[in-house]
Amino acid sequence: MTLWHGRLGGGTASEVMALSASLPFDRILAPDDLAGSRAHVRGLGRGGILDETEVATLITALDQVEAELASGTFAFAEDDEDIHTAVERRVTEIAGEVGAKLHTGRSRNDQIATDLRVYARRSVREIAGMVLDLEDVLATRAREVGAVYLPGYTHLQRAQPVLLAHHLLAHGQALARDVDRLVDTLVRMDVSPLGAGALAGSSLPLDPDGVAAELGFTARFENSLDAVSDRDFVAEVLFDIALLGVHLSRIGEELVLWSTDEFGFVVLDDAYATGSSMLPQKKNPDVAELARGKAGRLLGNLTGLMATLKGLPLAYNRDLQEDKEPLFDSVDQIRLVLAALTGLLRTIVFDADRMQAAADSSAAAAVDLAEWLVERGVPFRQAHAIVGGLVRDSMERHVPLSELVEAHPVLGTDAAGLLAPGVAVTRRTTPGGAGPGPVQAQLDRFARRLQRDRERIGM
Ligand code: ARG
């Protein structure tokens, strides 16, 4: 029996049910739907629409539904269109006539908007917690590797040596912004739509403020039309996850490069690598590649939802049912990537010798030579040209740069000392720079921020 059997006769065509049913994917909302129904029932009690016994009967029935869902004994019926229908049907089976009062003053429109916010809230908190775990691993590894340095790149060409800790924390900074964004999103989505009804509110004495408080929302909706049609929070969560995914894809890409024989900067732990079905010698960085690859799918979920929302008239339209699968998928996928990538980075072995050898090419300190000249009064543009000329000479005549520097009338032996292995990176002393001093300061601030962010999301 459909929810609208009073109005429409003869039953719904099976193709229509197949098209419109959302139960296959929205059953994940069961805990959120039950929380919403409990709050709604208590609100009806406060408004005097249900008496105390009715409230108690409905709450007991909702508890039983929860237990059945948790133990896997809940039997879905063929015409349960969505999780709301399934729960209401079962509550009515258990509670008898009172069950028919559960949906008083409520529409599935405000119900789904509420369920989805409660789901989004718990998912965003969990994802933010997982990002913090990954930040923690990056910070721990950054502390461990101490003075290890590697080439910093621009255009994927070696540019200047940087501490490995600095490189790891660069990714950490992006992730910290992701957490910040997720927390902002939580603040904006902290509004309960329950009590908006189908679109216009109700003639019954509902208690949207009390219901909002019981569901842990700071506020209730201001406008019922907006309450049932607003999916900004879904779009924001999808954006936050997409950008987080983009950040993870950049880490992934570097790990793919770093684990090649050509780079050889890292060795993956066997548990976080995969083999080949044909080539016995292979050890593949599939985790890093999937971190890179999933970002495309996450972007697709975001753009798909934005296209669904574009041009929708107020208020609820069934198109809005298309908000769920992208949201659930992005949440599921980012959790998978975060967990695997965190494990990979926790166990990865850095090859300090390979990294440092790559960074020790003498030209990597070229800018230090120029700056050495600047300190002695040479305008930077001239200093740049002098050193550039020496580098070019060294390459064309196959003479080590250090020899040319030593022989140079202004540069000489002191300046040549800058080209010794490991020296250049120590010369990055400005705040936020890649040398030991600023990186230590950054590590300390990062640890404090991590702690503060954990408190912000309560995990
Ligand atoms: N499954 C629906 C959704 O996800 C629930 C709301 C249905 N509302 C309606 N008026 N048909 O949006």
Side-chain angles (χ1 to χ4, degrees):
M1 193 165 67
T2 58
L3 297 173
W4 51 82
H5 62 275
R7 168 69 176 83
L8 304 185
T12 309
S14 60
E15 311 89 277
V16 174
M17 280 303 274
L19 171 67
S20 69
S22 53
L23 188 61
F25 49 85
D26 71 12
R27 59 181 72 189
I28 193 177
L29 296 174
D32 314 301
D33 197 70
L34 289 165
S37 284
R38 283 198 191 92
H40 180 62
V41 164
R42 295 206 180 92
L44 293 177
R46 285 192 297 278
I49 302 160
L50 298 178
D51 64 33
E52 261 176 48
T53 330
E54 290 173 324
V55 170
T57 309
L58 285 173
I59 296 288
T60 309
L62 288 165
D63 289 346
Q64 185 179 327
V65 169
E66 180 169 50
E68 289 178 3
L69 282 162
S71 62
T73 55
F74 187 97
F76 287 99
E78 201 173 328
D79 51 8
D80 286 344
E81 194 191 357
D82 50 31
I83 187 65
H84 327 298
T85 321
V87 170
E88 186 181 338
R89 174 193 49 79
R90 185 70 188 125
V91 165
T92 310
E93 285 167 10
I94 298 165
E97 257 172 44
V98 198
K101 297 190 173 184
L102 172 63
H103 209 55
T104 311
R106 183 176 72 172
S107 158
R108 283 185 298 163
N109 299 352
D110 57 344
Q111 188 177 3
I112 186 60
T114 307
D115 291 7
L116 207 56
R117 277 179 196 256
V118 176
Y119 164 86
R121 186 174 64 187
R122 68 176 159 98
S123 305
V124 165
R125 279 207 192 112
E126 188 192 334
I127 292 166
M130 293 182 81
V131 178
L132 290 175
D133 291 343
L134 176 51
E135 285 182 53
D136 215 347
V137 166
L138 288 171
T140 306
R141 300 303 314 260
R143 261 191 304 275
E144 262 170 41
V145 295
V148 174
Y149 57 92
L150 77 166
Y153 295 84
T154 61
H155 313 270
L156 204 53
Q157 309 286 324
R158 288 176 193 165
Q160 282 184 282
V162 297
L163 286 186
L164 174 57
H166 197 55
H167 193 111
L168 295 175
L169 285 180
H171 291 302
Q173 300 290 348
L175 295 174
R177 287 192 297 276
D178 288 320
V179 170
D180 209 45
R181 237 181 314 274
L182 288 166
V183 172
D184 274 355
T185 299
L186 278 177
V187 171
R188 244 185 318 278
M189 74 162 76
D190 188 15
V191 176
S192 168
L194 203 55
L199 75 165
S202 173
S203 65
L204 299 167
L206 304 178
D207 177 20
D209 286 303
V211 166
E214 181 169 344
L215 284 171
F217 287 108
T218 304
R220 57 135 173 95
F221 61 97
E222 286 285 347
N223 180 311
S224 60
L225 292 172
D226 181 46
V228 291
S229 61
D230 169 25
R231 294 295 184 275
D232 290 3
F233 68 100
V234 182
E236 279 193 51
V237 173
L238 288 179
F239 173 76
D240 295 350
I241 294 178
L243 186 53
L244 167 60
V246 166
H247 292 151
L248 300 183
S249 81
R250 298 179 71 177
I251 298 178
E253 165 64 2
E254 287 187 346
L255 292 171
V256 170
L257 283 174
W258 287 9
S259 60
T260 56
D261 285 340
E262 286 73 7
F263 271 82
F265 286 1
V266 293
V267 179
L268 304 179
D269 189 276
D270 283 358
Y272 289 93
T274 42
S276 157
S277 60
M278 178 173 168
L279 310 175
Q281 85 283 11
K282 290 303 293 290
K283 178 170 175 183
N284 291 329
D286 291 30
V287 170
E289 292 169 282
L290 284 167
R292 192 176 58 188
K294 296 280 188 192
R297 174 169 172 179
L298 300 172
L299 279 166
N301 287 338
L302 169 64
T303 51
L305 179 84
M306 294 293 269
T308 299
L309 297 180
K310 181 190 170 297
L312 274 190
L314 291 175
Y316 179 84
N317 299 274
R318 194 58 181 270
D319 314 45
L320 290 176
Q321 181 165 293
E322 292 297 311
D323 60 0
K324 274 162 224 61
E325 284 162 293
L327 178 63
F328 299 158
D329 184 59
S330 283
V331 166
D332 290 344
Q333 296 306 317
I334 203 72
R335 279 199 296 231
L336 291 172
V337 175
L338 281 167
L341 198 59
T342 302
L344 181 148
L345 285 165
R346 187 182 292 124
T347 52
I348 205 166
V349 175
F350 297 110
D351 189 330
D353 293 339
R354 292 278 306 215
M355 287 183 173
Q356 295 184 170
D360 280 337
S361 74
S362 58
V367 77
D368 296 293
L369 290 174
E371 287 175 0
W372 190 91
L373 289 169
V374 165
E375 277 170 347
R376 280 147 192 85
V378 182
F380 178 71
R381 200 39 69 207
Q382 277 174 29
H384 185 286
I386 292 170
V387 177
L390 290 177
V391 170
R392 180 177 174 163
D393 234 24
S394 141
M395 290 172 74
E396 281 176 4
R397 294 169 37 213
H398 303 287
V399 184
L401 182 63
S402 55
E403 266 178 40
L404 299 178
V405 170
E406 270 175 46
H408 191 272
V410 186
L411 288 160
T413 322
D414 275 3
L418 298 176
L419 302 181
V423 173
V425 75
T426 64
R427 312 236 336 140
R428 238 48 70 198
T429 50
T430 47
V439 167
Q440 186 54 51
Q442 186 188 178
L443 269 166
D444 295 342
R445 291 159 80 105
F446 194 79
R448 284 199 294 277
R449 177 171 182 171
L450 205 54
Q451 184 53 38
R452 214 174 43 227
D453 282 346
R454 282 209 189 279
E455 285 157 19
R456 278 165 90 198
I457 60 160
M459 315 192 59

